[in-house]
Amino acid sequence: MKKLISLGLAALAIGSMSADELKVGSFNYYGPFPLSAPLMIDSVDVNGKKFVETSLDNAPAKISLKGMKSSLFNGSVAPGHSSQAVHMLSFNFENSAYATPELEVKGVENYTVYVDGKKIDGPKMTLRPATHNVVVRYLSNPSDNNGQLQVSLKADNNAGLTIREDGKRRFTLEDVLHGTAISNASISPDGKYLITSYATTRRGGKSVYTNKVTSLPDGKTVAERSEYIRWMPNGSRYYFERSSVDGKELVAVDAATGAEQVIVADMPEGMSYIVTPDEKSLILTSYQEGRKETGGVYEVIQPEDRQPGWRNRATLSIMDIATGVVRPLTFGNRNVYVNDISADSRKLLISSSQSRLERRPTTVTSIYCLDLNTMKADTIVKADGFIAGAKFSPDASKVVVSGTPESLDGIGKNVPEGRTPSMTDNQLYVIELASGKINPVTKNFHPSVDSFSWSAADGMIYIAAEDRDCKNLFRLNPNNGKFEKINLPEEVVNGFTVADAGRNLVWFGESASSPKSLYLLDTKTLRSSKLATPKENLLADVQLGKCEAWDFVNSRGDTICGRFYLPPDFDASKKYPMIVNYYGGCSPTSRNFESRYPHNAYAAQGYVVYVIEPSGATGFGQEFASRHVNTAGDGVAQDIIEGTKKFCQEHPYVNDKKIGCIGASYGGFMTQYLQTVTDIFAAAISHAGISDHTSYWGEGYWGYSYSEVSMANSYPWSHPDLFVKQSPLYNADKIHTPLLFVHGDADNNVPVGESIQMFTALKLLGRPTAFVAVADQDHHIVDYDKRIKWQDTIFAWFSRYLKDDPTWWEALYPTTPL
């Protein structure tokens, strides 16, 4: 049994009993807390029962020792007291595997046991791998003859029980699910105040949302509201909606004084809106309902018609705030959306889209500049299927358009001749409105643009972009086309906001080993100062293993990026099982601390975790990203296999016979495809993975449109080599790896049938497999309780095959006789 090193905190001495039995010899002691008998109004209560001394301690269902002072108790005799009193003894222990240990307490009577703050009934516990706190709360009387105090833990499987002495604990899924996180941040136009949106999730799944208004740079909170609030276009007033006797009213609040002003007394219902920069009008977006089918028999007009609300159309109108008069801005049967409003409130940048199924791309978008005074519209971009959105320059003389490398007749394309770029590799184009000249400003910029803002304060374009497996912040000088990377203390920028005046930029981000934090950036010095880390206290006692970058050169001569996580108690002389994670196309697996697959939580259970960014990922340049197109896993799989083998060769602490792999969506397809071409994995997990490119192409809501990305200009009837030969279903007989399928049964992106048909194939072939469906969940598992069991399912499958411990799996899914 391994004894952890004390770091000078209140420690616990341990006595070894066996490999799976712990005897606790010392505790953190809290007490005594004297009790006194109640005033005896009557001799019996309402139920005719007499008072007994043990009822003095009405033990609660939950307990917390935070803020309470303790002393170290090393004795073998339980502490007593001259009068009746409550005492609490606390210690921490860790189990490296799923366990059902029994806790035995001797030497005291009238005691209650709490594990992780919750009262337990009976000696047996069911525990996920984690660090746990145990509290023994007991009642003493002066007449008690306290005996030899003994507390021991026993486990009937190899649970890896150890006493935790250093005050630290392992990272778990609970650390991902719970606590406060930053969801958004927005700086006032004058740069003096900040709105920060927070989401706090409590144990049990209930979430509370708050918006704080703080002054910059001192961070003083001037307001805190539960309503959704946004900045007015000028100064530092924010606005929100509230109920009134007439319906809803729009209220503006001065952040400095708190003074309120009702802007609109009767807000239109069912519309979204934008306040114009002159604060005189609202641009309203309303939705007109399309024809409804009745009787349970209905026509599907085109593939997208299966999607709820597809027949509804968005249209625009403008409301004069002073008079309440509303007039229409657009009319027709196509969706129309607002992209931006010029600073003088005269020009509206709008986009309109329509279907064109006969050729790629099947949806095209046009962008118009509408003069709100004359109602004359100039066409900026006509029927381009590769553009995403647009924004004005500060003086509205130019427009920045975001889109793929194929946008605007491919002026920004930078791939070898005959190669199709990835439609998920996002580029920027600056268009001069007077001349129509287009400048593909990111043509030679390798990172893939995520978001951007053209600053009115300094004239720079600030860009958050996928940069390898990070998301970094850059700024572009539109006058000379030069990019500058801004050095930040985090690896992933989740969002940023730039003030119209001054030199303040606010951003929030995270890293592989640190949660989201909020920062203030001085755009002149480019220095960041931290404003807040909401989860800092929650994670203060968490011990994380190292995360290090690891790249390799593949057989084609390409440098493939990756990183790895080590267990927090890593010992290089040992052999560890390893889990390989990837997406396998489109976006890289970013260095987020909290994600669908929290890598630190896997490492905390004793795995080495290797994350690889194979060919086809964005953030490495257009040529690299284009390898996702028309390959259907070929090349990507080779990168993953080569990387895994080379990692094992260079890191002898990995047990190369115990390697697992996991991926979701296209990565779920990669999991299945990998098992048809290699046998290096001992266990595999496909979440919402594609097993047959043809059935996915025709059945998923976005199947055929996503195939415009991954199978550009290729179709099941024209390229069976891709749609059939590269589909795992048609190669199922080659799979021998234990393969788990997990899938939301309401998945509209990748229909659950993709897992069902592959599971069926493997069952008929007699191969080790399992299928776990998550009821009423779509492509992402978001329900609190289902998310926990979904994650436990993944942990248990890996434990079964990578640690040869089926205990957790059998507890979740007992064997059912056929």
Side-chain angles (χ1 to χ4, degrees), residues 177-222:
L177 296 178
H178 303 143
T180 301
I182 301 164
S183 57
N184 196 25
S186 177
I187 198 168
S188 61
D190 62 6
K192 296 180 180 179
Y193 292 89
L194 176 68
I195 295 173
T196 309
S197 300
Y198 295 94
T200 300
T201 302
R202 300 170 180 167
R203 286 177 174 81
K206 184 179 179 180
S207 294
V208 178
Y209 303 93
T210 57
N211 298 283
K212 285 186 179 181
V213 182
T214 54
S215 61
L216 293 173
D218 61 13
K220 181 181 178 181
T221 300
V222 298

Side-chain angles (χ1 to χ4, degrees), residues 97-101 124-127 129 155-159 792 795-801 803-815:
Y98 174 86
T100 55
K124 198 162 188 177
M125 301 172 281
T126 300
L127 302 175
D156 55 8
N157 71 312
N158 188 20
D792 284 350
F795 288 149
W797 186 261
F798 281 140
S799 181
R800 178 181 181 180
Y801 287 101
K803 295 183 177 180
D804 296 323
D805 183 0
T807 311
W808 200 349
W809 181 265
E810 291 172 355
L812 290 171
Y813 307 103
T815 302

Side-chain angles (χ1 to χ4, degrees), residues 326-446:
V326 177
R327 63 182 174 92
L329 294 177
T330 63
F331 176 83
N333 60 16
R334 282 181 281 168
N335 283 311
V336 183
Y337 302 101
V338 178
N339 290 290
D340 201 4
I341 310 172
S342 61
D344 62 4
S345 298
R346 179 172 177 174
K347 297 176 182 178
L348 195 63
L349 203 58
I350 61 177
S351 61
S352 176
S353 59
Q354 65 186 103
S355 296
R356 182 192 64 188
L357 298 179
E358 294 78 16
R359 62 190 177 94
R360 176 183 178 267
T362 54
T363 300
V364 294
T365 300
S366 298
I367 298 177
Y368 306 97
C369 181
L370 175 63
D371 189 310
L372 293 175
N373 291 342
T374 65
M375 290 303 292
K376 179 180 179 296
D378 295 324
T379 302
I380 309 300
V381 179
K382 181 68 175 177
D384 190 321
F386 300 103
I387 59 174
K391 292 181 181 179
F392 282 117
S393 62
D395 63 1
S397 65
K398 300 180 181 69
V399 169
V400 184
V401 175
S402 61
T404 81
E406 295 177 88
S407 300
L408 306 171
D409 295 322
I411 190 174
K413 189 164 64 172
N414 188 10
V415 296
E417 189 67 30
R419 185 88 65 84
T420 302
S422 171
M423 288 178 67
T424 59
D425 188 2
N426 298 315
Q427 307 291 315
L428 292 183
Y429 305 84
V430 175
I431 303 177
E432 295 182 0
L433 294 181
S435 65
K437 181 182 177 182
I438 303 172
N439 182 7
V441 292
T442 57
K443 183 175 183 177
N444 298 302
F445 180 65
H446 282 342

Side-chain angles (χ1 to χ4, degrees), residues 99-121:
T100 55
E102 290 190 11
L103 181 71
E104 185 178 52
V105 179
K106 295 180 180 179
V108 293
E109 297 180 358
N110 301 324
Y111 67 87
T112 305
V113 176
Y114 297 83
V115 177
D116 298 331
K118 295 180 181 179
K119 185 164 66 173
I120 63 169
D121 298 319

Side-chain angles (χ1 to χ4, degrees), residues 164 167-172 175 537-544 568 593 600:
R164 189 87 204 205
K168 296 292 183 179
R169 62 181 180 85
R170 297 201 176 204
F171 187 78
T172 68
D175 295 310
N537 290 335
L538 178 68
L539 302 175
D541 58 349
V542 167
Q543 180 189 14
L544 298 176
F593 182 69
N600 287 291

